[in-house]
């Protein structure tokens, strides 16, 4: 079971904030204060880690208790991180002993109970500021596009749609979820335009970190398709991929 506190929308976006705590009094107190400080958000409350993971909507900001009856907050956080690397995670707990583990799941802050209204407001304000900055940055990057000429026609393609690019028979093939696009060009030029969200793991490939599913020392698996990874580039690729995840709000390791 969960409760929803839908407040007045604003700023052109709907920010989702979730509170997960097994104590009804604390859960309701946090919800009411967050509603007061952040009326533009949709706020959901959960009483356990299991109901939190079963929720249909991924929270942008999560206030999570650590000591929960079924699944502890650390385990719930690890599972959520696999699906939501951008989530801003704030632990709310009565004990200090988990503070170092909190960094392992990319926690934004660690609040000790009882939480004062002033402290909650200050931490929430910083979390909302980071969320808005990340959303603005993501929007700019997703809107960035290139214009290519293929078959006598010019087409505008958003960089966010490109899973990976490869060179084949002097052509560049852009692999997208809705189909491939081919054109004559140089992969080095596309690499410069694509920016830091892309990486060239092999002379014939350029991949988008966003669509990486898994990798080893010689291959990268994406949501659709695979790309070769030069063995000498493997250490650099891993570091670049971890930096990408950190920029997007995830932890270095999961």
């Amino acid at each position: 079971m969960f409760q929803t506190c839908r407040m007045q929308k604003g700023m052109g976006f709907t920010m989702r904030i979730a509170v997960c705590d097994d104590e009804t009094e604390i859960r309701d107190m946090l919800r009411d204060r967050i509603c007061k400080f952040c009326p533009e958000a949709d706020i959901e409350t959960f009483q356990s880690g299991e109901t939190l993971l079963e929720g249909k909507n991924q929270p942008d900001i999560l206030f999570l208790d650590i000591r929960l009856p079924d699944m502890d907050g650390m385990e719930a956080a690890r599972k959520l991180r696999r699906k939501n690397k951008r989530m801003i995670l704030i632990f709310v707990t009565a004990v200090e002993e988990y503070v170092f583990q909190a960094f392992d799941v990319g926690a934004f802050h660690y609040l000790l109970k009882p939480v004062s209204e002033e402290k909650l407001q200050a931490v929430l304000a910083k979390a909302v500021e980071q969320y808005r900055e990340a959303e603005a940055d993501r929007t700019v990057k997703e809107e960035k596009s290139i214009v290519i000429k293929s078959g006598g026609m010019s087409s505008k393609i958003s960089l966010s749609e490109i899973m990976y690019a490869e060179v084949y028979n002097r052509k560049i093939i852009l692999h997208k979820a809705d189909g491939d696009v081919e054109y004559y060009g140089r992969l080095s030029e596309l690499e410069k335009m694509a920016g830091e969200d892309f990486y060239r793991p092999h002379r014939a490939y350029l991949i988008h970190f966003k669509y990486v599913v898994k990798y080893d020392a010689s291959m990268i698996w994406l949501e659709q398709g695979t790309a070769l990874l030069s063995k000498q580039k493997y250490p650099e690729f891993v570091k670049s991929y971890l930096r990408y995840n950190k920029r997007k709000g995830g932890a270095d390791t999961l």
Side-chain angles (χ1 to χ4, degrees), residues 115-128:
V115 182
S116 70
E117 186 169 331
E118 293 77 12
K119 185 64 175 180
L120 177 64
Q121 183 177 12
V123 171
L124 179 59
K126 290 180 180 178
V128 171

Side-chain angles (χ1 to χ4, degrees), residues 228-246:
L228 293 175
L229 173 58
S230 299
K231 289 185 178 181
Q232 63 268 28
K233 283 197 167 187
Y234 178 68
E236 180 187 340
F237 166 77
V238 173
K239 290 179 182 178
S240 298
Y241 187 45
L242 291 176
R243 284 197 297 268
Y244 168 83
N245 283 329
K246 193 170 184 178

Side-chain angles (χ1 to χ4, degrees), residues 163-180:
M163 295 187 180
Y164 69 104
E166 66 175 314
V167 177
Y168 185 77
N169 285 342
R170 297 186 300 158
K171 282 187 175 182
I172 294 178
I173 305 174
L174 303 179
H175 296 277
K176 305 189 302 168
D178 59 355
D180 299 341

